[in-house]
Amino acid sequence: MLQYLCFLLKSTNEHGVHSPFVFDYLTKCLYAKPKKSSNKLENLILKSVDYFSFQQVTVKGNLKLEDTIATLLPKTSSQLLRQDLFLFTNDAFENATDSLLQPHLHNESMLIFDGIRTSRESFLNWQRFKAHPQLTVTIDFYRFGIAFLRREQQKEHFILRC
């Protein structure tokens, strides 16, 4: 409870964001579009897939998605060199850094980490991961985190309410 109160004190909404990319993502995608699922993570995934027109989604770890969202996500093909969206659970954080070295990630690739505060270890893994030099934009939504590889943008971290 105390950890969540600290998060609320540090977090902001679109009015505290000075990055045009993140501002547009929040206002035109997360805050503007109607809910597609009652689960916050599933809602974020579905809205992001639509907003960025992602074609390839890769799930790393044991992510339990409802059947409705699983059927709505684009299918992953290992034959393609371009991967748009990676979903990691806290049990797959160790492989996340290795994934950054793969050639299939591109400038608009998005990485979503579920359960960044489920344990002290998972939060420390998230802290180490967001410090990776290849990641330029990271967003902390308390329960989950998002990272982008946007090479044209300076490194920034946001703590936002979703």
Side-chain angles (χ1 to χ4, degrees), residues 70-138:
T71 58
L72 294 173
L73 289 177
K75 302 297 180 225
T76 300
S77 170
S78 59
Q79 302 298 326
L80 295 175
L81 294 176
R82 180 182 170 98
Q83 293 293 323
D84 298 321
L85 175 62
F86 278 87
L87 305 170
F88 292 93
T89 57
N90 58 8
D91 59 334
F93 272 178
E94 303 83 41
N95 302 330
T97 306
D98 295 339
S99 296
L100 288 175
L101 304 174
Q102 301 299 323
H104 51 264
L105 289 177
H106 54 86
N107 197 46
E108 278 77 42
S109 290
M110 178 180 187
L111 299 96
I112 300 176
F113 301 89
D114 185 31
I116 62 172
R117 284 193 172 80
T118 54
S119 68
R120 180 170 169 75
E121 181 183 342
S122 63
F123 187 68
L124 291 174
N125 284 335
W126 166 246
Q127 296 293 344
R128 281 191 293 273
F129 187 78
K130 73 179 188 179
H132 194 281
Q134 208 171 348
L135 297 172
T136 56
V137 177
T138 53

Side-chain angles (χ1 to χ4, degrees), residues 9-72:
L9 290 173
K10 293 179 186 177
S11 67
T12 186
N13 57 14
E14 74 270 16
H15 300 295
V17 174
H18 302 290
S19 164
F21 170 76
V22 176
F23 182 82
D24 285 346
Y25 176 58
L26 286 175
T27 58
K28 294 178 181 175
C29 177
L30 297 183
Y31 293 166
K33 294 186 177 188
K35 282 189 172 185
K36 296 181 176 234
S37 172
S38 59
N39 180 301
K40 282 188 176 186
L41 178 61
E42 291 178 1
N43 193 45
L44 177 122
I45 293 167
L46 290 173
K47 285 182 173 186
S48 298
V49 166
D50 283 349
Y51 180 73
F52 291 111
S53 301
F54 288 148
Q55 299 299 311
Q56 297 297 315
V57 175
T58 303
V59 177
K60 303 278 187 172
N62 297 320
L63 188 61
K64 304 281 191 261
L65 299 174
E66 290 183 25
D67 292 338
T68 53
I69 186 176
T71 58
L72 294 173

Side-chain angles (χ1 to χ4, degrees), residues 131-149:
H132 194 281
Q134 208 171 348
L135 297 172
T136 56
V137 177
T138 53
I139 304 171
D140 181 343
F141 285 115
Y142 186 72
R143 183 180 148 215
F144 43 87
I146 298 177
F148 293 95
L149 288 85

